[in-house]
Amino acid sequence: QVQLVESGGGLVQAGGSLRLACAASGSIFSPNTMGWYRQVPGKSRELVATITSRGSINYADSVKGRFTISRDNAKKTVYLQMSSLKPEDTAVYYCNLYIWIGSSPADYWGQGTQVTVSS
């Protein structure tokens, strides 16, 4: 069974930086995509950034130039380096793993980590 555990959230002032990490356990087959999503109360969960096992990266327009996603396949860990943080980045950040098991897709989520950016 795959499990995802996030770490690194917290409180930071606007303009500051935080680094999130998400470690996966269990059998993870390639190709796969790991990523970060975020959600604020009353709104839908939105994509922040994704990275495939082959290194292809996608960012939401709102974080381009400020956030950097990376992964260490040997450690089964994905990172999100967040810089120049803004109050509007405040949200619960969720790690996601999307893989194919045979011919069926499987979606896994972490428990979420709170990021709060004060003005």
Side-chain angles (χ1 to χ4, degrees):
Q1 181 71 11
V2 174
Q3 290 188 320
L4 303 175
V5 178
E6 300 117 333
S7 60
L11 173 65
V12 64
Q13 288 188 332
S17 299
L18 278 176
R19 189 192 194 207
L20 306 182
C22 171
S25 61
S27 298
I28 300 174
F29 303 100
S30 293
N32 61 71
T33 299
M34 297 188 78
W36 293 94
Y37 293 73
R38 65 187 182 187
Q39 189 171 23
V40 297
K43 292 191 176 182
S44 301
R45 192 170 296 186
E46 64 175 12
L47 178 145
V48 176
T50 59
I51 182 168
T52 71
S53 51
R54 294 168 180 166
S56 295
I57 291 174
N58 181 46
Y59 292 105
D61 288 342
S62 59
V63 306
K64 282 181 180 177
R66 300 188 299 120
F67 290 11
T68 302
I69 191 170
S70 61
R71 63 187 287 168
D72 184 329
N73 289 330
K75 294 183 178 179
K76 296 189 285 188
T77 299
V78 63
Y79 304 95
L80 186 68
Q81 178 67 47
M82 305 184 291
S83 302
S84 302
L85 282 160
K86 305 175 181 179
E88 51 264 45
D89 294 318
T90 295
V92 178
Y93 284 69
Y94 295 91
C95 177
N96 174 262
L97 170 66
Y98 185 86
I99 60 175
W100 286 86
I101 301 176
S103 59
S104 300
D107 225 356
Y108 297 94
W109 294 92
Q111 80 284 359
T113 185
Q114 177 71 46
V115 171
T116 303
V117 184
S118 63
S119 56

